[in-house]
Amino acid sequence: MEIQNNAVKELFEPGSTFKTMSMMVGMDEGKIVMDEPVYCHKGAYNGFSARQVMYDHNYRRGGYDTLTTTEILMYSSNIGIAKLIHRGYKDNPQAFVDAVKRTGIDSHFTMQLIGTAAPVINRDGYWDATRLPWMSTGYNLQLPVINTLAFYNAIANDGKMVEPRLIREVRRGDEVVEEIPVRVVNDKICKESTLKDVQYMLEKVVSEGLAKQAGSKYFKSAGKTGTAQVGYGGNGRTTHMVSFCGYFPADNPQYSCIVSIRTSPEMHGDASGGGMAGPVFREISEKVMATRLYRDVELAIDSALYTAPK
């Protein structure tokens, strides 16, 4: 039996789903230009620290050469996003954190529940050579899963972030005892032009990038994959939290959804947000959209009323 809601009580490093936030903040503040090229060093880069190498997920297969900003999200390049954010904020890394917090993603969403967790984003104010680059890729910070979903929901919701809620009202019989109104956290998480660019990027992640398995042939979806290492049982053992967060249909958003899966340490093969969480997102989205299909009963034809032709 489940004794806690992991979506609101546990804190996780979000991993690559946070790259969308990094890209959005950088573009909104003029630090990143849409579709500028970034050299990704064939998947291994030690330019932030000689002692700590940053890898892309495919570095053993030769990595990436040069990617545009859109392709950095499509193929989830750690090096690409880290270089962009480091270039823009290395002289004042706290400005990056302040910009992230202005979106409202660090809000403590209680959702009428007891024991919910509050996000942790660089609370100690400490910076070293690797903290900012790794933070841009979704490490060195912790969020409840529901906060990541609230952020992507805001992207789908024309930039307006609202606090998630489980109930609209409490009733006693026919009497409304308490109403739970929609609480707006931020009317506009970014500029309109930035929002349109980010929405375009997230559609490309699904249509052409690593999240193809999250897409449906019946409607458009948009979102971002995520894969983060998680400590397991001490002794340096790790497992992964793989995820996909997005919304659908992308051209007229109605629903947002996040799928997060914690892999087993005994799992064989590569952990993949697109390959593991993506198909679950697709199944959920298709079943949800199927409930919206209605047919006019007047279009039904009773074959018994018609004789077969000669």
Side-chain angles (χ1 to χ4, degrees):
M1 182 180 69
E2 292 186 1
I3 59 173
Q4 66 181 23
N5 188 325
N6 292 337
V8 297
K9 188 168 184 179
E10 283 202 60
L11 289 170
F12 300 101
E13 290 181 306
S16 295
T17 54
F18 192 78
K19 289 174 184 170
T20 304
M21 170 66 78
S22 298
M23 186 69 75
M24 186 193 80
V25 164
M27 294 176 67
D28 210 45
E29 298 203 324
K31 309 289 188 182
I32 299 173
V33 178
M34 181 70 170
D35 281 337
E36 65 173 298
V38 180
Y39 181 52
C40 295
H41 301 267
K42 305 294 186 181
Y45 181 61
N46 66 348
F48 306 122
S49 169
R51 294 191 301 264
Q52 193 166 2
V53 180
M54 176 175 280
Y55 297 101
D56 276 336
H57 65 91
N58 64 341
Y59 77 96
R60 290 192 180 91
R61 300 188 298 274
Y64 299 113
D65 185 31
T66 298
L67 298 176
T68 65
T69 49
T70 298
E71 290 170 336
I72 285 170
L73 282 193
M74 286 171 56
Y75 305 121
S76 201
S77 170
N78 294 325
I79 296 169
I81 192 66
K83 285 184 68 176
L84 288 170
I85 294 302
H86 183 260
R87 181 191 70 187
Y89 294 96
K90 64 181 184 296
D91 295 329
N92 184 11
Q94 187 60 41
F96 174 72
V97 174
D98 293 342
V100 167
K101 290 184 175 182
R102 280 196 295 272
T103 67
I105 196 171
D106 67 326
S107 301
H108 184 187
F109 297 134
T110 60
M111 297 177 61
Q112 303 88 49
L113 297 173
I114 297 173
T116 56
V120 178
I121 303 179
N122 197 36
R123 191 168 291 167
D124 59 11
Y126 170 76
W127 295 101
D128 60 17
T130 62
R131 177 168 282 204
L132 176 63
W134 263 258
M135 182 180 289
S136 72
T137 69
Y139 290 94
N140 291 333
L141 72 154
Q142 292 182 307
L143 300 174
V145 170
I146 197 68
N147 287 60
T148 298
L149 179 58
F151 168 61
Y152 279 81
N153 186 77
I155 295 173
N157 195 32
D158 291 327
K160 180 184 288 188
M161 182 181 291
V162 298
E163 179 173 2
R165 58 178 180 166
L166 293 174
I167 55 176
R168 288 182 294 183
E169 60 185 21
V170 179
R171 288 176 173 266
R172 183 180 293 113
D174 293 331
E175 177 189 2
V176 176
V177 177
E178 180 183 4
E179 292 186 358
I180 311 296
V182 174
R183 187 178 79 84
V184 177
V185 177
N186 190 340
D187 278 312
K188 211 69 176 174
I189 61 173
C190 64
K191 300 171 186 173
E192 188 67 28
S193 58
T194 302
L195 183 67
K196 296 301 180 186
D197 287 341
V198 170
Q199 290 171 338
Y200 167 80
M201 289 176 168
L202 294 181
E203 285 191 43
K204 296 284 278 187
V205 171
V206 177
S207 63
E208 300 178 31
L210 295 182
K212 287 181 181 178
Q213 294 187 64
S216 171
K217 64 182 180 180
Y218 304 108
F219 51 85
K220 292 182 179 179
S221 298
K224 179 71 185 73
T225 59
T227 305
Q229 281 192 348
V230 181
Y232 178 83
N235 299 322
R237 299 181 70 194
T238 61
T239 180
H240 291 85
M241 177 70 74
V242 297
S243 57
F244 180 85
C245 191
Y247 52 88
F248 58 94
D251 47 2
N252 181 27
Q254 301 294 314
Y255 304 95
S256 58
C257 174
I258 186 168
V259 176
S260 294
I261 303 170
R262 189 159 183 168
T263 65
S264 165
E266 287 76 32
M267 185 193 81
H268 298 287
D270 295 333
S272 167
M276 300 172 71
V280 180
F281 179 93
R282 184 188 67 245
E283 285 197 32
I284 292 172
S285 63
E286 288 184 346
K287 289 178 179 178
V288 168
M289 291 299 291
T291 65
R292 296 164 57 91
L293 296 177
Y294 299 100
R295 295 192 177 184
D296 190 340
V297 67
E298 294 183 359
L299 299 178
I301 297 176
D302 187 350
S303 60
L305 297 179
Y306 297 86
T307 57
K310 292 181 181 181

